[in-house]
Amino acid sequence: MTGTPPITTSIFELFKAGPGPSSSHTIAPMAAGLDFRRELASLPEAVLQKAETLVVRLFGSLRATGFGHGSHKAVITGLLGIEPASCPDTLPAGVFDLPVEERTVVAGPFRFTPGPETVINDRIEHAYPFSNTMVFELRDADGAVLHAKTYYSVGGGFIQWEGWTPPRRGRVPYPYSSAAALQRLVDEHGIGIPQLVVQNEMALTGARPAEIYDRLDGIIDIMRRSVARGASVTGMLPGSLGVYRKAAHLAGRADRQDDPLNRFLGLLNAYAFAVAEENAAGGIIVTAPTCGAAGVLPAVLTMLEGYFALGPEAVRNGMLAAAAVGFLAKHNAGIAGAEVGCQGEVGVASAMAAAMLAQAKGFSPRIVENAAEIALEHHLGLTCDPVGGYVQIPCIERNAMGALKAYNAYLVATMEDVERHRVTLDVTLRAMAETGRDMNAKYKETSLGGLAVSLPEC
């Protein structure tokens, strides 16, 4: 990891609101559709006059499980000019049923009304550099391509495209690309991880501290609301699997537990279920680091505020430490199920939540790192094998397991002899990256292996 460029990801690129069920398959296709809509507006009028139709081809796991993840609707929603964060509650389920005037893309003389046939499932195996690839093509009446752009969904709702280069940003005062470098900086400068993350955010985006904390409070509030909504709704989730929401039932049973430990663990489970079920239903959640793993951090955050009665400053600091862990994972391994499996989604979410707990409770940066490492280490090799392409089985329960592992990792890290902790977060991230490269594609979000075929869709 030495010699790699420093991390320049914004807090609010990692934590962003949008509709479920998948950051890679829903939020990123929406963002790509929106970007291509803007690109159309910049094309020469001579090109737009020849244009007759628009086609979007999906590759990799987008092709394999895009329908169950809502990718087709997400692409069209983006083309219609709707941003992920601006969706009122859920991804418009009836986007193809909207009146023609509300479902027409207009760019100069080009007018096009997309339908289900606009988005085409192409190949699972391909030569593009990222599994989740989308090719947008503007075509004439004979089918000839007038203009095309290739997008890559790289995890957590992030998109890149052919020829993409990282955006130029301010130079960070505390440059790091590894956990070891981060620890050196906090030791040398006597600064905490949360303060370091805020100082770097200021340099990257030009935002003032008050603005950063206000936006972070907004993200935290969306997390709270996703827990509250998910814990109060019952009924069947969308799709053909026949999965019923459990969060409200689990929360009710947990509240009636006489044993304080069972009550604590039961509520932690219920809150993780609540957000994961909201995500599965297409509700608005926060990528942390992805939609598929969006239940872990809010569940732990809710326990920090409710069970431990920690105040806003402690919770913010915990979120900032979680962001640092998410940055490291994205920078050095990956957070996309299509690239590294669920170890990069729920595994990283669990590591972020463990770090949040340790930071919010006031432990040292070394213990914060150790907590994250323990949580991630015990998710290594975790596959991404959603049944039927829906983010339901095993994804919802897996969020609860990730939350429980986060709490246990926090306990181990804060109770062990810190000087005898042998495995570093950098080593574990390296192992995750290597495991992801070696993992068979059928276990990376394509629904071609694991539970997806052992428990066939009924």
Side-chain angles (χ1 to χ4, degrees):
M1 297 179 193
T2 57
T4 58
I7 290 168
T8 56
T9 305
S10 165
I11 298 165
F12 305 106
E13 290 173 327
L14 184 71
F15 297 131
K16 49 188 174 291
S22 170
S23 43
S24 294
H25 289 63
T26 310
I27 291 180
M30 277 186 76
L34 187 64
D35 183 82
F36 194 73
R37 174 190 173 93
R38 292 167 177 158
E39 180 134 328
L40 286 176
S42 68
L43 293 178
E45 187 165 334
V47 172
L48 294 170
Q49 284 177 339
K50 296 178 184 178
E52 182 71 23
T53 189
L54 196 160
V55 169
V56 183
R57 296 187 289 135
L58 304 183
F59 294 83
S61 75
L62 282 172
R63 180 259 182 266
T65 61
F67 185 80
H69 287 73
S71 300
H72 301 68
K73 296 173 185 174
V75 166
I76 302 303
T77 304
L79 283 170
L80 296 180
I82 300 173
E83 297 192 26
S86 69
C87 282
D89 289 304
T90 62
L91 184 70
V95 66
F96 295 124
D97 300 321
L98 291 173
V100 170
E101 62 272 16
E102 296 180 30
R103 191 166 45 91
T104 299
V105 179
V106 179
F110 175 62
R111 295 179 65 87
F112 174 68
T113 304
E117 71 285 348
T118 301
V119 184
I120 298 170
N121 284 328
D122 211 297
R123 300 184 304 277
I124 294 177
E125 295 184 7
H126 57 79
Y128 292 106
F130 294 93
S131 172
N132 289 330
T133 294
M134 299 161 274
V135 179
F136 286 66
E137 296 175 343
L138 186 67
R139 298 179 179 181
D140 66 15
D142 297 322
V145 176
L146 300 170
H147 180 75
K149 189 168 182 177
T150 301
Y151 293 90
Y152 310 118
S153 172
V154 298
F158 291 88
I159 58 169
Q160 297 177 14
W161 47 86
E162 198 169 30
W164 178 87
T165 56
R168 293 181 63 85
R169 284 179 163 160
R171 191 172 179 177
V172 295
Y174 300 106
Y176 67 96
S177 59
S178 67
L182 179 61
Q183 289 291 340
R184 282 196 300 272
L185 287 169
V186 298
D187 289 343
E188 289 172 6
H189 296 277
I191 187 172
I193 293 174
Q195 292 70 39
L196 182 150
V197 171
V198 168
Q199 289 292 320
N200 281 1
E201 182 76 14
M202 292 168 61
L204 288 171
T205 65
R208 298 188 301 272
E211 294 172 313
I212 295 168
Y213 292 127
D214 282 348
R215 289 192 68 184
L216 191 60
D217 286 345
I219 289 293
I220 292 169
D221 189 56
I222 294 170
M223 287 183 169
R224 287 193 199 105
R225 283 188 275 133
S226 65
V227 171
R229 281 196 313 270
S232 64
V233 180
T234 58
M236 188 182 291
L237 290 169
S240 56
L241 297 184
V243 175
Y244 282 85
R245 290 177 180 254
K246 298 180 182 178
H249 181 74
L250 290 172
R253 293 290 295 270
D255 256 337
R256 294 193 294 273
Q257 294 293 313
D258 293 328
D259 186 321
L261 178 60
N262 284 348
R263 184 177 185 276
F264 173 85
L265 297 177
L267 287 174
L268 185 57
N269 277 320
Y271 298 150
F273 266 81
V275 181
E277 288 171 353
E278 275 295 290
N279 176 67
I284 300 299
I285 48 78
V286 173
T287 57
T290 65
C291 288
V296 179
L297 212 62
V300 173
L301 183 149
T302 302
M303 299 308 287
L304 278 176
E305 294 185 318
Y307 188 86
F308 293 110
L310 294 184
E313 184 178 358
V315 173
R316 285 191 205 111
N317 286 340
M319 285 284 288
L320 292 165
V325 172
F327 293 159
L328 288 165
K330 182 181 182 297
H331 195 76
N332 295 304
I335 57 173
E339 301 297 330
V340 294
C342 199
Q343 57 177 354
E345 295 204 31
V346 168
V348 172
S350 186
M352 292 167 66
M356 177 172 70
L357 273 163
Q359 180 66 60
K361 295 283 283 179
F363 288 95
S364 70
R366 181 68 61 190
I367 290 175
V368 170
E369 178 193 339
N370 291 352
E373 185 283 317
I374 294 167
L376 183 60
E377 180 182 339
H378 299 290
H379 283 89
L380 289 179
L382 191 60
T383 58
C384 183
D385 47 358
V387 176
Y390 295 100
V391 191
Q392 298 179 16
I393 303 172
C395 319
I396 294 170
E397 286 187 0
R398 194 167 280 176
N399 274 258
M401 297 304 108
L404 292 178
K405 282 188 179 182
Y407 186 71
N408 202 36
Y410 153 79
L411 286 180
V412 173
T414 56
M415 292 180 178
E416 70 175 351
D417 182 346
V418 66
E419 298 301 325
R420 295 188 178 184
H421 189 87
R422 293 293 306 279
V423 185
T424 66
L425 182 57
D426 289 331
V427 165
T428 307
L429 286 169
R430 195 175 304 124
M432 185 176 85
E434 184 177 349
T435 303
R437 285 192 296 270
D438 292 342
M439 192 180 288
N440 191 299
K442 68 182 181 180
Y443 299 116
K444 293 196 283 188
E445 214 167 15
T446 57
S447 293
L448 297 175
L451 274 177
V453 296
S454 300
L455 180 65
E457 183 182 353
C458 298

